[in-house]
Amino acid sequence: TRTPVNVTVTGAAGQIGYALLFRIASGHLLGPDVPVNLRLLEIPQGVKAAEGTAMELDDCAFPLLRGIEITDDPNVAFAGANVALLVGARPRTKGMERGDLLAANGGIFKPQGKAINDNAADDIKVLVVGNPANTNALIAQAAAPDVPAERFTAMTRLDHNRAISQLAAKTGAAVSDIKKLTIWGNHSATQYPDIFHAEIAGKNAAEVVNDEAWLADTFIPTVAKRGAAIIEARGASSAASAANAAIDHVHTWVNGTAAGDWTSMGIPSDGSYGVPEGIISSFPVTTKDGTYEIVQGLDINEFSRARIDASVKELTEERDAVRELGLI
Ligand code: NAX
């Protein structure tokens, strides 16, 4: 019998939390043979609702769920954490400037990074979902100097999955036939979904599509603005698909990418592909035995270069802004 893995989820009472916790507890995050302890972090006003979700989790009688702890104290929530999913964040409200948004989130992610630094298990893996995800991950990472920087990642897997789905719809291919798609840059409207290295049933995706106007005017904006389209249609932001992507991100990180494929993760840049070292930007990565590596040696054409650079520029501006605010 395996030792349970401690999984901390922040923003547990929110809508992504509600879609996420049941799948973690049923074994989809780490595997069908891995027991889990859940630690739910909420702000004081969210604790009661989190307790309600915990009651429902109990009522599922999940064989793999060994315990649930609910707290509003980050030091308690991250004690011994092996995996941390940072979902709770401060949303942008009307009239809020970017600086205000970054400052408000700094007030969340800086103390959480410190609590991870001081309390988490040595093998801690962190996924930041709460927006602005890349820069929130940078803030948390900077506040955790004793944790290897590469353990802090940001979620672009939802964008990755959205891009696969759009490409499948355009070409009539099965989603399982699409490999090596890449999201570059920021999880924002500047993100760049790249199909130039992607494959559809073994053929180059850009050649199969053979339609640069569709790429520039339909595919890229559809993927980048999908979150807004979901809000428009559903009257609420993506929740189940975001939770699914968080599950995919951690599952792939822990269990590895398939041979002949890769995934997209927001990770601290090592300078690859001209992305300034240290910012948390999305790259094509392969994973194995709980570690990841950037896919090297891809030829970046002019079309891609301009779009990667634009998204990276936004990330460096966000970094400079949080630096000025003393958050990193
Ligand atoms: P909700 O507003 O439903 O839930 C957020 C929860 O976080 C609330 O229960 C709130 O009480 C809690 N919270 C706030 N501050 C906290 C703190 N300091 N510690 C612990 N909990 C705290 O939002 P939801 O729809 O669940 O979305 C959560 C975040 O995911 C948002 O920031 C959202 O923008 C972001 N998203 C990121 C995506 C991505 O691809 N990276 C896609 C989906 C989503 O938009």
Side-chain angles (χ1 to χ4, degrees):
T1 55
R2 292 188 54 165
T3 330
V5 174
N6 297 324
V7 180
T8 303
V9 179
T10 76
Q15 52 153 5
I16 294 175
Y18 193 75
L20 183 59
L21 292 168
F22 297 86
R23 295 192 62 198
I24 298 172
S26 61
H28 288 92
L29 186 76
L30 298 165
D33 55 349
V34 185
V36 292
N37 284 318
L38 281 173
R39 305 272 168 73
L40 312 185
L41 180 67
E42 259 295 344
I43 52 176
Q45 309 89 287
V47 165
K48 189 161 182 244
E51 284 169 355
T53 304
M55 289 162 70
E56 284 202 76
L57 284 161
D58 286 342
D59 294 349
C60 294
F62 287 122
L64 292 172
L65 183 56
R66 296 300 155 80
I68 311 175
E69 201 171 333
I70 302 161
T71 178
D72 60 7
D73 180 348
N75 288 315
V76 174
F78 295 114
N82 306 106
V83 176
L85 304 172
L86 308 189
V87 179
R90 173 74 163 76
R92 189 189 285 260
T93 41
K94 214 170 170 224
M96 207 179 193
E97 300 291 335
R98 184 170 67 174
D100 304 332
L101 180 74
L102 293 171
N105 278 290
I108 296 174
F109 287 87
K110 194 173 176 177
Q112 289 185 2
K114 182 166 190 332
I116 288 169
N117 188 69
D118 296 350
N119 300 283
D122 286 344
D123 67 348
I124 179 71
K125 290 181 170 61
V126 181
L127 168 62
V128 176
V129 175
N131 281 321
N134 300 52
T135 297
N136 287 342
L138 179 66
I139 293 167
Q141 182 264 313
D146 303 331
V147 178
E150 73 266 16
R151 306 288 187 74
F152 285 83
T153 67
M155 189 165 94
T156 53
R157 186 62 173 265
L158 179 55
D159 310 302
H160 181 98
N161 288 344
R162 286 167 170 166
I164 288 178
S165 166
Q166 292 299 320
L167 192 54
K170 165 78 174 172
T171 60
V175 290
S176 53
D177 282 337
I178 299 179
K179 316 268 189 229
K180 298 184 177 175
L181 190 127
T182 306
I183 304 293
W184 297 92
N186 200 0
H187 167 69
S188 77
T190 67
Q191 65 172 273
Y192 172 49
D194 177 359
I195 71 164
F196 286 100
H197 305 283
E199 293 171 2
I200 301 177
K203 294 198 187 75
N204 180 273
E207 284 166 22
V208 173
V209 169
N210 192 26
D211 184 351
E212 200 166 291
W214 176 79
L215 208 57
D217 303 334
T218 303
F219 175 73
I220 295 170
T222 299
V223 173
K225 295 179 190 158
R226 185 72 166 177
I230 299 286
I231 293 173
E232 176 67 28
R234 205 173 82 88
S237 59
S238 316
S241 55
N244 179 69
I247 296 274
D248 283 352
H249 176 113
V250 173
H251 190 274
T252 301
W253 188 358
V254 171
N255 294 296
T257 39
D261 200 2
W262 66 60
T263 189
S264 305
M265 288 169 69
I267 57 170
S269 176
D270 63 357
S272 295
Y273 296 103
V275 180
E277 202 175 331
I279 63 167
I280 298 200
S281 189
S282 188
F283 284 96
V285 299
T286 55
T287 59
K288 195 181 175 215
D289 300 330
T291 63
Y292 59 79
E293 265 179 48
I294 297 175
V295 176
Q296 295 295 341
L298 299 177
D299 185 32
I300 306 298
N301 64 19
E302 244 173 77
F303 183 97
S304 296
R305 188 74 259 169
R307 287 166 174 82
I308 294 170
D309 288 350
S311 195
V312 164
K313 179 166 176 281
E314 181 182 53
L315 282 171
T316 55
E317 288 167 1
E318 289 182 14
R319 178 205 54 199
D320 293 347
V322 295
R323 199 178 266 162
E324 218 148 277
L325 291 163
L327 295 170
I328 60 170

